[in-house]
Amino acid sequence: ISTARARRIMNDLASKGFVTPQKSGRSLTYTVNPDAHFIHPPMTHVRVGNVVEAIRQPGRKGQQPRS
């Protein structure tokens, strides 16, 4: 995935309220909005935070999961 494509994806997520961008020097960091709901019809009842908690590694509370 190119840098330009990643930027477009993050801008799309931010415009839909899934993440909030924060300027940090010359770059941006993003905070996930755990209260956002998925927009795919069968998933509209699911909060993003529930999915993040489900995939978070044990012992890493408050930290972002690494891939």
Side-chain angles (χ1 to χ4, degrees):
I1 184 170
S2 70
T3 302
R5 181 67 181 137
R7 191 176 304 120
R8 285 193 301 271
I9 291 169
M10 294 309 295
N11 287 338
D12 187 41
L13 290 171
S15 73
K16 290 180 173 58
F18 288 100
V19 297
T20 302
Q22 299 164 339
K23 190 86 165 148
S24 177
R26 290 177 27 175
S27 62
L28 290 171
T29 56
Y30 295 88
T31 303
V32 174
N33 177 3
D35 296 321
H37 287 262
F38 288 94
I39 58 176
H40 187 61
M43 300 289 292
T44 57
H45 67 284
V46 179
R47 289 179 44 246
V48 171
N50 293 346
V51 175
V52 171
E53 286 301 317
I55 63 173
R56 187 180 305 265
Q57 295 175 359
R60 295 184 58 98
K61 190 163 185 83
Q63 296 179 357
Q64 298 174 349
R66 295 183 185 251
S67 50

